[in-house]
Amino acid sequence: MTPYQVLIVGMGKRGMHHALTFNANPRFRVTGICDIDAGRLDAAAAKLDHPQKGSDAAALAKAVKPDVFCFTTLPNLRTPMIRIGIECGAKLLAFEKPVALTSAEALSIRDLVRKAGIKAVVSHQHRYGAHYRKVKEIVASGALGRVHTVYGSATGWMTHMLSHLIDYTCWFNNYTPAQWAMAQASGTLKFGDNHPSPDYIGGFVQFANGVRGVYECGAGAPDQPEAAKWWGKNRIGAQGTEGFAEVLTNGGWRAVTKAGGFQSGEGVMNYDLDMPPYIQEMADWLDDSRKVHACNFEHAFLGAEIMLAMQRSAAQGGQVPLPLATGADEQALLKSKLAGHPALVSCEQNRKEFGMA
Ligand SMILES: NC(=O)c1ccc[n+]([C@@H]2O[C@H](COP(=O)([O-])OP(=O)(O)OC[C@H]3O[C@@H](n4cnc5c(N)ncnc54)[C@H](O)[C@@H]3O)[C@@H](O)[C@H]2O)c1
């Protein structure tokens, strides 16, 4: 079969992960790469058999006419890339989490994708880790009894981590839509980061099947001493009437169930293992529209709405109904609300990572 042609925009860390994994799969060929940093672009081209390259994504997309338009730019750059991907006639858009920084942008991206009828995927690829899949398997087996709670916590800050936490708990809860979210936040140091975030956010979500979601991200979130790597201190799980099961991104999995007692296993997040199945599912979906990608845009959008509703609640108070009816700029709302409310840390390592005195 002729390989699907891929254009990748943004040849940083994630762009290279995508490019090398696409080229390692016989169903794909990277035929175009784009970056505004000439040095990065040349270095990437040398590792990718010298595909067409350029610094203007729209012009390159017109020239390459890719089947897959993949962009891995920082969170501040989404809508223009979505438009370029749709306008160049690609069959599938592949892009990075988070879907958008504001609900105004998330809703407009949703409308663009739906109107174009284009397939789209968002990279929540940790789920392919064996330890994540083990927890999903236990939850889905019914061994926890009636699942009443899903939860996720990460010491890393919101725009890096919350999208992951929410997506995997939504997976555990079969992507049941949420009805409302309510949250609090503190600290403005990380609004200056390229993943702009309040330093700490925590909140609750009501899912339509009665399951409660509990999330926290950032400086005030608890340490997970079982995971050594700071960015791997994410604990994501589900509790039911007969037990719990949870994964630590860099610390394996563990469960206690009525029938099985205590069980645990190894597992560490690994891009080399997680990217190949993520990329393969794109080929499967392109080949057969019934084989919808697990990381499809509609799943990611459910999570994005929750994440943005939490922020809106933290900025404006109260419970925010879902789905969101109107767009807002949650970044601006939060920044002004949180000025003068510094975050308090849960452990000394968080103080260091957040650059606090
Ligand atoms: N899924 C995951 O596990 C995971 C892990 C890390 C990062 N991410 C996400 O991936 C995205 C990218 O992160 P990264 O660490 O690769 O960033 P990065 O800074 O390493 O790479 C971004 C690249 O985009 C380029 N760029 C910026 N504007 C451009 C433009 N107009 N046209 C072409 N290129 C442009 C930059 O020059 C840079 O090379 C972020 O959204 C981040 O949240 C996801």
Side-chain angles (χ1 to χ4, degrees):
M1 272 191 209
T2 319
Y4 292 113
Q5 293 198 31
V6 184
L7 168 60
I8 304 181
V9 183
M11 300 312 296
K13 169 179 148 171
R14 291 295 292 154
M16 284 309 295
H17 290 166
H18 279 80
L20 293 169
T21 318
F22 275 121
N23 269 358
N25 186 318
R27 302 301 320 286
F28 294 101
R29 192 77 208 147
V30 176
T31 51
I33 57 172
C34 172
D35 204 296
I36 49 173
D37 178 326
R40 260 187 187 185
L41 195 57
D42 289 344
K47 291 181 189 148
L48 297 166
D49 298 337
H50 297 282
Q52 281 195 63
K53 59 181 183 169
S55 58
D56 179 337
L60 193 62
K62 255 189 212 154
V64 170
K65 296 197 182 9
D67 299 303
V68 176
F69 182 85
C70 173
F71 64 97
T72 52
T73 47
L74 288 168
N76 63 344
L77 186 49
R78 295 286 184 265
T79 305
M81 293 296 156
I82 298 273
R83 285 188 195 282
I84 292 169
I86 291 171
E87 281 162 17
C88 77
K91 301 182 178 84
L92 186 143
L93 296 172
F95 64 108
E96 268 297 348
K97 45 63 52 178
V99 167
L101 287 175
T102 68
S103 57
E105 184 169 31
L107 291 171
S108 106
I109 288 174
R110 177 202 61 187
D111 293 346
L112 285 169
V113 167
R114 285 187 185 166
K115 186 162 170 240
I118 192 169
K119 296 179 168 104
V121 298
V122 179
S123 190
H124 291 116
Q125 83 292 346
H126 296 191
R127 64 183 283 148
Y128 297 101
H131 49 327
Y132 282 74
R133 285 187 282 117
K134 182 67 186 175
V135 170
K136 171 65 182 175
E137 181 191 309
I138 294 170
V139 176
S141 75
L144 305 184
R146 180 182 69 79
V147 172
H148 48 67
T149 306
V150 292
Y151 55 91
S153 104
T155 49
W157 50 99
M158 179 190 83
T159 300
H160 276 293
M161 297 314 305
L162 188 55
S163 170
H164 283 296
L165 302 182
I166 293 173
D167 188 69
Y168 309 132
T169 54
C170 286
W171 178 38
F172 298 160
N173 195 30
N174 302 314
Y175 290 98
T176 307
Q179 294 178 321
W180 53 258
M182 186 176 80
Q184 281 279 330
S186 58
T188 56
L189 295 172
K190 290 297 180 194
F191 278 116
D193 187 72
N194 61 20
H195 283 69
S197 310
D199 299 333
Y200 179 47
I201 186 164
F204 303 111
V205 175
Q206 170 79 9
F207 290 98
N209 57 355
V211 169
R212 165 70 65 247
V214 183
Y215 303 98
E216 56 179 321
C217 232
D223 186 19
Q224 309 294 339
E226 298 85 357
K229 187 179 173 184
W230 190 76
W231 285 105
K233 290 177 179 293
N234 317 318
R235 191 163 65 90
I236 309 157
Q239 293 174 349
T241 50
E242 296 182 9
F244 80 94
E246 64 183 23
V247 59
L248 291 161
T249 297
N250 276 47
W253 64 274
R254 55 199 174 199
V256 174
T257 65
K258 191 173 170 186
F262 178 74
Q263 308 157 63
S264 65
E266 303 286 308
V268 169
M269 197 278 279
N270 182 337
Y271 291 114
D272 293 339
L273 298 176
D274 297 346
M275 289 303 288
Y278 173 66
I279 298 288
Q280 178 58 42
E281 280 192 32
M282 293 184 209
D284 298 342
W285 196 17
L286 284 164
D287 289 348
D288 181 347
S289 291
R290 291 166 302 182
K291 294 187 178 160
V292 178
H293 199 294
C295 300
N296 65 77
F297 175 80
E298 293 297 335
H299 280 176
F301 183 73
L302 285 176
E305 278 192 301
I306 292 171
M307 179 166 161
L308 291 157
M310 284 175 63
Q311 293 172 63
R312 206 185 289 186
S313 167
Q316 296 185 324
Q319 292 162 275
V320 174
L322 288 161
L324 294 174
T326 54
D329 180 348
E330 285 78 10
Q331 289 268 320
L333 292 173
L334 270 177
K335 242 187 276 181
S336 63
K337 168 79 179 183
L338 300 184
H341 297 284
L344 304 177
V345 298
S346 65
C347 61
E348 282 309 304
Q349 200 179 353
N350 285 6
R351 188 186 308 284
K352 187 175 138 265
E353 296 288 349
F354 282 79
M356 296 173 182

